[in-house]
Structures are given as structure tokens and as C-alpha cells.
Amino acid sequence: MAAFFLFVALVPLVLVLVLTIFAFTRRSKGCRNLPPGSLGWPIMGETLEFLFGKPEKFVFERMNKYSPDVFKTKILGEETAVLCGPGGHKFLFSNEQKLFTAFRPHSMQKIFRSYRAAAPPAQLPTDEVAKTLRSPGFLKPEVLVRYLGKMDSITQQELEIQWEGKEVVKASSFAKTLTLRLAFRFFLGSDDPQFIARLVGSFDDITMGMHSIPVNFPGTIFYKASKAAAGIRRELRKTIQEKKAAMATGATMQDILSHMIAVTDPSGKYMPEAEIVDKIMGLLVAGYSTVATAMTFFMKYVGERPDIYEKIFAEQMEVSASKKPGEELDWVDIQKMKYSWNAINEVMRLTPPLQGTFREALTDFTFAGYTIPKGWKIYWTVSSTNKNSEFFPEPEKFDPSRYDDANAFPPFTFVPFGGGARMCPGKEYARLAILTFVHNVVKRFEWEVVLPTEKIVGDMMPTPQKGLPIRLRHH
């Protein structure tokens, strides 16, 4: 009798498994000229290898096994074609909105859940916010330059608060706190250092959860991200109410949050508060993790290369010598920091702050002789070129001089901010924030990395496991 009940209990599970495998194989055979590759296990596909293996290892192994141009896989629940190499980058960037539309993984859609009622599921705050930012020109250089002085003063304050008088500090935690403070000041017009420092852990949780298996169970990465997002929403609603009250008094506001509160659509309706919250949260996340990662690994790579530090120091001292005492950085100063920006480019090549993004095929299309069906997801990744010795000799070597010659490597081989119509709208903001940090930290300190072999964890948001402790030497 017990065996009978066990059989009855297992029948539904077996039926679901059989139907899943049938649907899986039927979809796979629906198009005869699919790219080579493997869709992995039913349902899960190759998600675990994608999330928990090194990004370049995942890509390079399949490029070598299947095709250097394109391969198929299944990740985060989606049948996906990975376009590789400069040819893949160029094809993708040239066909935005023609063949492709934006897509974000289900985990990301659910974290930004309140906004889904106002937009198609494929849209996310980061896509819509890009439009919001571009229309009034918040991220144009001529607008950003007005914020440069504030970036400079905030960076100096954080260095004085966190590093002055100390011998050993953690570069990663500093970079995160500084970056989040800059983002709050720029996007929200808010600057409360203690309050912002308390939110760093929540933003880390969200960033890790955006590319995760969307299982909302205590202990999972996605559960922590959802909980953190709910907490940040509560704080942002308070900030919005405070901002509305200040605006009602006639106070002049020039930050992005104020613009979102005041803007109306063609019918005269104001943006719903839930939509504002999710857009601002998307902006803060985008302006936080990538910039903080670049700053952190600048400290690592330059700390391990005193010869490169000396070149950056000489350049920054030239900038400093042209300033009056107490004078803040300006646009002309930033343009002088060519070698420093070359070093940052090399940091982003070796440890990309952004591993890649997804698109969705709007129609069947052909690439490299293979057909990718409508509805499939397209994954664009820097991993197919950044460490390819064909384009970057000695790819593991930290060498800022690679960028001295603009024609040193083929077009579309180094694209840390993407390209085409969807190039990261915050590229110039990131450049100003990072170079302002470089200028101030190099002026004040020399440093050495305490743990050169420290493990790097979190492949979608690379982070030194122990926070990258560095030993400071004050100038």
C-alpha cells in the first residue's frame, strides 16, 4: 500500500519532467540552423556555470568548443545566443531597436517590481531612466561640469574622514561609501554621510541579486536582494516627501529627483510615486556598483605597480600645480588626465565593472551564418574580447600604455560602456567621479596592497573578499 501511495505521489512529478524535456527538445529543434552550443539541463540550462564560474571562462570555453562568433546556451531561464568578438559587438550595437530590444533577467524585473505595472515586462528602470536623463540633458558634459566642484569637495571630505591619520584601510568599503554618497548628491540632491553609509550593504545585496535565480526563500541571494530593495524603497519614499515639501516652498531644485517629481506626460499627469522610486533606485544602483568597482581595482592594480603610480602622480601634480590653493577641479583639469584615464581603462579591461547585458530578438535574424529565432535572448559580454591575446598582447598584464595609440587595437574590441544607441548614458558621470577620486587619492597618499593574492568574489560584481586592505603612506 505504501508503495502505491509513493507511486501516486511521484506520477505528477514524472509527468512535469517529461513534458518539460519534450518542450525543451521541441523548441530546440524548431529552428534547424541554430548556433552551435548546449542548452544544458531542462529549466536550469547552464545558469549555475554562468553565475558561479568566471565570466571569461564561461565564454572562452564555449567559443573554443563551438564557435568564436556565436554560441547558444540557456541561462536564467532563457534560451540565449551569445554574440562574441568585435564582430558580435558591432552587429549588436548597429542593430539596436531594429533587431533587438532591451531585456532584463526575471530576477531584476522582480526586484524593481512596482515599476512593472507602468511598463512592459521587458522594460526596467535603467532603460526608462536613460530616456529621462537624456531628455533634459542631465548627463551632458556641460551640465555635469557644474557638479564637478561638489564631486571634488565630497571626495576630499571622505578621504579626511576615513583615511587621514590611518595606516591600514579597506579600499573597497571606502569606494562604495564614496560612490553612493556622490550618487545620492547628484541624483537626489541629498547628502547625509552617516545615513548613506548605512545603506551600502543594501545596495550590495541588490546588485548581487539582479543576476540570480529568482527564488524568494530566506537565505537565498534573491531573497536578500528583495528585502534590501523594500528597505530602500521605504527610505526613498521619505526622501520624496521631504523633496516635495521643500519644492512647495518655492526652493530651487536642480537634481534629477526634483525633475521627476515635477515632470508631466503629454496629458498633464505627474509620474506616479512608485515609478519615481523604482527609477531612482535603478539609477542609484547603476551609478554605484560600476564606479565603486573601478575605483577599488584602481587601488589594487596601481598599488602593485609603483612605476605606474609614479606616472599617474606626476600627471596629477601637474594638474595640481596649475590650481590656486583651495580651488576645485574643473573641466580643463579633467582633460589633462590622459594617462590616469588610460590606467582606468586598463583596470576596466582586467576587471570589468559591467560583465554584459541582455537583449531580446525582435525578429528572426542571421549572424555568422546561423539563425537566432525571434524571442530568444541575446547576451553581450566584454569577456569575449577583453582578455583575448589576439587584440591585447599579454592580456593579464596591467599596461596603461596600450591606450596611447587610439588605433592600437581594432574597433569594438574594448567597449566597457557598450556602444550604439544603448551606450551607457552615465559614461561621462563615471569618468568624472573616478578621475576626481584618482586626483585626490594620489595627491595625498602612496599605498601598497596588503594581500596581493586576496580572492576576488562575486563575478557579476567583483569584490575583494577581505575588502582590499591597503597600507597608506602619507605625502
Side-chain angles (χ1 to χ4, degrees):
M1 182 64 71
F4 173 76
F5 282 116
L6 178 62
F7 172 77
V8 171
L10 287 175
V11 164
L13 180 62
V14 172
L15 282 173
V16 168
L17 184 59
V18 169
L19 289 171
T20 300
I21 294 173
F22 174 74
F24 173 80
T25 54
R26 186 176 179 182
R27 282 199 307 270
S28 301
K29 293 176 181 177
C31 179
R32 295 184 179 180
N33 196 32
L34 289 173
S38 171
L39 297 181
W41 293 95
I43 303 175
M44 286 295 293
E46 297 187 305
T47 299
L48 296 180
E49 297 97 312
F50 174 74
L51 290 178
F52 303 111
K54 293 291 179 186
E56 61 263 21
K57 182 174 183 288
F58 179 88
V59 172
F60 268 127
E61 282 183 351
R62 286 156 181 78
M63 286 174 67
N64 291 331
K65 185 175 182 180
Y66 300 119
S67 165
D69 301 310
V70 58
F71 62 85
K72 70 172 182 277
T73 181
K74 186 175 184 180
I75 45 182
L76 298 171
E78 301 290 342
E79 291 168 326
T80 303
V82 181
L83 304 189
C84 305
H89 294 167
K90 181 179 180 180
F91 183 82
L92 180 64
F93 300 153
S94 302
N95 289 285
E96 296 280 16
Q97 301 307 316
K98 301 174 191 172
L99 301 179
F100 313 113
T101 189
F103 177 80
R104 295 295 182 268
H106 300 291
S107 52
M108 204 181 291
Q109 294 179 32
K110 290 179 179 179
I111 288 170
F112 294 96
R113 63 185 184 274
S114 65
Y115 182 58
R116 288 185 299 158
Q123 298 292 326
L124 254 195
T126 46
D127 302 306
E128 289 298 304
V129 162
K131 298 175 186 175
T132 305
L133 291 173
R134 287 187 179 110
S135 54
F138 280 110
L139 294 178
K140 288 182 178 179
E142 58 268 28
V143 176
L144 281 168
V145 72
R146 298 201 294 263
Y147 178 62
L148 184 54
K150 181 56 68 174
M151 275 186 173
D152 194 9
S153 63
I154 287 175
T155 303
Q156 291 179 43
Q157 289 170 22
E158 287 294 326
L159 286 170
E160 287 167 9
I161 293 167
Q162 297 194 48
W163 284 10
E164 279 296 337
K166 296 181 180 177
E167 183 182 352
V168 176
V169 296
K170 292 187 176 181
S172 179
S173 59
F174 174 85
K176 290 175 180 179
T177 304
L178 170 62
T179 302
L180 197 57
R181 187 177 169 192
L182 291 174
F184 262 75
R185 180 64 181 78
F186 182 69
F187 298 127
L188 280 73
S190 171
D191 190 10
D192 182 344
Q194 287 74 33
F195 166 70
I196 292 166
R198 292 196 300 270
L199 293 180
V200 166
S202 296
F203 277 91
D204 278 350
D205 288 342
I206 290 175
T207 304
M208 294 299 294
M210 288 194 304
H211 294 90
S212 65
I213 300 168
V215 177
N216 202 17
F217 188 80
T220 63
I221 294 172
F222 181 76
Y223 177 84
K224 288 179 68 178
S226 299
K227 190 175 179 181
I232 289 173
R233 276 194 187 89
R234 287 193 295 271
E235 298 297 339
L236 289 177
R237 287 192 188 100
K238 294 177 188 175
T239 302
I240 289 171
Q241 293 308 313
E242 292 168 1
K243 182 73 67 174
K244 285 180 176 178
M247 291 169 69
T249 67
T252 302
M253 303 282 178
Q254 294 184 327
D255 54 86
I256 292 169
L257 176 57
S258 301
H259 170 76
M260 289 184 181
I261 291 171
V263 74
T264 58
D265 64 19
S267 67
K269 292 182 180 178
Y270 288 96
M271 195 181 298
E273 186 172 295
E275 190 174 333
I276 294 174
V277 167
D278 271 359
K279 282 186 173 184
I280 286 291
M281 188 163 69
L283 260 180
L284 291 171
V285 170
Y288 163 68
S289 60
T290 52
V291 175
T293 299
M295 289 179 180
T296 298
F297 285 91
F298 170 84
M299 298 302 292
K300 173 176 172 58
Y301 293 128
V302 173
E304 293 170 348
R305 292 288 301 276
D307 56 324
I308 290 173
Y309 170 88
E310 289 300 328
K311 292 179 181 178
I312 295 171
F313 177 74
E315 181 176 80
Q316 295 300 338
M317 285 298 97
E318 271 189 42
V319 172
S320 189
S322 69
K323 310 295 290 180
K324 296 174 183 176
E327 187 181 3
E328 294 171 335
L329 290 173
D330 59 29
W331 185 252
V332 174
D333 300 324
I334 295 294
Q335 306 317 305
K336 295 176 182 176
M337 302 180 189
K338 291 183 171 58
Y339 186 80
S340 299
W341 186 243
N342 286 351
I344 294 298
N345 278 327
E346 189 69 338
V347 167
M348 292 189 292
R349 184 187 67 81
L350 285 171
T351 305
L354 177 67
Q355 297 294 338
T357 57
F358 289 89
R359 304 287 191 272
E360 181 174 325
L362 291 168
T363 183
D364 291 2
F365 69 90
T366 300
F367 176 72
Y370 299 103
T371 299
I372 289 85
K374 177 182 177 180
W376 269 45
K377 305 308 175 283
I378 313 301
Y379 185 61
W380 161 77
T381 172
V382 296
S383 297
S384 69
T385 56
N386 274 16
K387 293 188 180 178
N388 190 326
S389 59
E390 180 184 349
F391 312 125
F392 301 99
E394 297 182 86
E396 297 295 335
K397 182 181 179 181
F398 183 67
D399 181 13
S401 68
R402 296 180 197 273
Y403 308 90
D404 290 344
D405 179 3
N407 301 313
F409 33 85
F412 300 102
T413 51
F414 182 65
V415 284
F417 296 99
R422 289 194 176 276
M423 177 180 281
C424 175
K427 174 184 176 181
E428 207 58 46
Y429 169 85
R431 189 169 81 99
L432 294 185
I434 295 167
L435 286 176
T436 301
F437 164 73
V438 168
H439 175 75
N440 283 289
V441 78
V442 168
K443 269 202 328 180
R444 290 171 183 251
F445 305 105
E446 293 179 67
W447 66 92
E448 62 179 322
V449 177
V450 175
L451 304 170
T453 58
E454 182 179 359
K455 184 178 180 182
I456 307 303
V457 297
D459 293 313
M460 301 310 286
M461 181 188 173
T463 305
Q465 191 173 43
K466 299 184 182 298
L468 191 66
I470 57 173
R471 184 169 287 106
L472 298 173
R473 290 191 295 274
H474 298 248
H475 284 310

